[in-house]
Amino acid sequence: METAHQFVAKNHALKTLIAGAYNLTPRAILGGPAWVDSDHYDILAETPGDARPSLDRQMSMLRNLLVDRFQLTFHREQREFSIYTLSVAKTGAKLKESAPSPDASPAGPPPLIFHVLPQGLQLPGRNASMAELASVFQRAALDRPVIDKTGLSGRYDFDLEFTPDDSQFDGAFAKMPGYEDRVKPSLFAAVQEQLGLKLEATRGPVDVLVIDRVERPSDN
């Protein structure tokens, strides 16, 4: 949301838009023609009502837009995938439980967004759940689904700072000038040292979205 009433997405492939709308990693979007990966789109949409919509409401509107503009239809299947599990480390979680705010926004907690710093990346979490943390990891940072196995049901405040490697964020940050001089720990080390959690590679069943039909907007 660039303003309280304007939703903007720039230079996104349709696959990443579907992944965001349905809270999936792009790798869990299967089927469809090659252009769902290669063509890129900008979205500028006005949202109704007087208040800024919550993130869940924004994604609901994005799902409706994808059906309307791309004639998207799909079905779901369960497949065996390489995944990461997010769990509590042996040392215990290092998370500060969020205090209820009497001034909480009707739009809900602020979304988790990665910030670029001179020395690496920062992920500030405020009033965030572990499911939301797993979701932003799988949608933006990592190349496979992330399953929340922490058993933590509360909402927490934290600051995560790390240096991504060339397998994360599609390798974009590993190509930046000065990357070799960055001193922040890797994502996996930072998650354990700073949050008291751990990301472990394994395999497991994942619900995937299989595209049955999709059309370019110009073909409609």
Side-chain angles (χ1 to χ4, degrees):
M1 300 294 297
E2 284 201 348
T3 70
H5 304 293
Q6 193 171 72
F7 177 87
V8 177
K10 295 181 179 179
N11 196 31
H12 278 278
L14 178 59
K15 180 175 283 190
T16 63
L17 291 170
I18 296 172
Y22 290 93
N23 191 27
L24 296 168
T25 175
R27 290 188 65 189
I29 312 294
L30 308 179
W35 63 261
V36 302
D37 269 322
S38 60
D39 289 8
H40 286 70
Y41 298 91
D42 295 339
I43 294 175
L44 174 61
E46 297 294 323
T47 60
D50 297 327
R52 178 191 183 100
S54 67
L55 182 60
D56 286 345
R57 178 60 179 150
Q58 292 171 41
M59 294 303 100
S60 175
M61 290 187 285
L62 178 57
R63 292 193 290 271
N64 290 337
L65 183 148
L66 295 176
V67 171
D68 179 58
R69 301 293 177 87
F70 294 92
Q71 305 301 303
L72 175 67
T73 62
F74 61 86
H75 67 277
R76 293 184 182 270
E77 296 179 4
Q78 194 170 80
R79 302 277 183 93
E80 189 80 6
F81 256 74
S82 295
I83 63 173
Y84 289 112
T85 58
L86 180 69
S87 59
V88 176
K90 291 181 179 179
T91 53
K94 302 175 183 178
L95 301 166
K96 177 184 176 183
E97 194 153 356
S98 301
S101 172
D103 303 318
S105 167
L112 290 170
I113 298 174
F114 292 98
H115 298 277
V116 181
L117 302 176
Q119 67 272 31
L121 286 189
Q122 181 187 55
L123 181 65
R126 300 295 179 269
N127 200 22
S129 70
M130 293 298 96
E132 290 165 350
L133 180 60
S135 174
V136 76
F137 281 158
Q138 74 171 10
R139 286 186 291 107
L142 297 169
D143 62 350
R144 62 181 72 178
V146 179
I147 309 300
D148 173 24
K149 297 285 189 180
T150 63
L152 301 174
S153 58
R155 288 189 166 272
Y156 305 92
D157 297 338
F158 56 83
D159 288 290
L160 179 67
E161 295 187 358
F162 65 98
T163 297
D165 64 31
D166 58 6
S167 72
Q168 296 157 8
F169 298 92
D170 292 327
F173 291 94
K175 300 173 184 175
M176 293 176 62
Y179 174 81
E180 297 82 3
D181 301 325
R182 297 188 177 193
V183 296
K184 294 296 181 182
S186 71
L187 173 59
F188 295 91
V191 164
Q192 184 154 344
E193 294 167 7
Q194 300 167 24
L195 306 186
L197 306 176
K198 60 181 178 180
L199 284 164
E200 290 185 302
T202 183
R203 291 187 64 82
V206 173
D207 288 328
V208 301
L209 185 153
V210 183
I211 297 172
D212 297 318
R213 177 194 175 196
V214 66
E215 297 181 12
R216 281 190 173 105
S218 59
D219 296 338
N220 295 341

